[in-house]
Amino acid sequence: MSYSIEPAFTVTKELSRQLIKVSTQAKNQWFFPEGGFSSNSLDHIGDMWVHENFVVISDTEIIAYFEGQWARPLSILLNFRLILLDEKKSFFACKAFFQYLEYLFVSRGCDVFNWSVATENRHAYLLYEKFVKKNCGHIVGRRTRSLQSYCGKISDSVLYEISKEEYFDWKDSNKRK
């Protein structure tokens, strides 16, 4: 088994179907805080100047979706979101995420990559905490009562970021191991 990272616009119809399907699952209520997925969200996914929208494909199946917005001309990727569409293939999605970071910092010249997570989204929150401690990045801050899920739950959130310097330091230290 293998995987590839593809621009999301190449599979817009199937991606829309998959996102609508997972947006109805309570475990994904924090990924869709605006109330669920709308296919209008994919209208501009081909615009690489402002939007970053990629899918991870394994065995012709979309297993994950990456989404972010560029703050230009600062070269900062804001509001990154990742949704795992096939939990059985999370290993490939994880490998693809590291490949995606390489793409952002090396190919696209990203200076800062940031994302936030609802602390009530325990699984994602604990994964990001572990990721930052084990790999690279840091906590920028915490906000109180800053997010509401589409089910109406209120949560605090944590903002994380990885700077270009942190990423390359981490990458260099892994080469030496």
Side-chain angles (χ1 to χ4, degrees), residues 1-6 10-11 14-15 17-19 21-22 25 54-65 83-90 92-93 96:
M1 267 193 251
S2 63
Y3 71 91
S4 64
I5 300 174
E6 306 290 336
T10 63
V11 291
E14 178 59 20
L15 177 59
R17 191 181 76 69
Q18 290 290 330
L19 290 175
K21 182 178 167 185
V22 299
Q25 299 168 353
F54 287 90
V55 292
V56 181
I57 298 176
S58 176
D59 298 327
T60 70
E61 177 189 355
I62 302 170
I63 63 169
Y65 173 59
I83 189 158
L84 186 59
L85 300 169
D86 185 346
E87 292 179 13
K88 292 177 260 167
K89 296 185 178 177
S90 61
F92 292 120

Side-chain angles (χ1 to χ4, degrees), residues 64-86:
Y65 173 59
F66 301 162
E67 171 186 289
Q69 297 170 311
W70 283 104
R72 298 284 189 193
L74 299 174
S75 292
I76 297 173
L77 192 75
L78 303 168
N79 305 321
F80 178 77
R81 299 194 304 177
L82 179 157
I83 189 158
L84 186 59
L85 300 169
D86 185 346

Side-chain angles (χ1 to χ4, degrees), residues 3 19 22 40 50 62 71 73 78 86 97 104 130 143-144 156 160 168 175:
Y3 71 91
L19 290 175
V22 299
N40 294 338
V50 177
I62 302 170
L78 303 168
D86 185 346
F97 178 70
L104 287 176
K130 184 178 176 181
R143 296 186 69 201
T144 304
D156 295 348
Y160 302 92
F168 285 113
K175 282 182 183 177

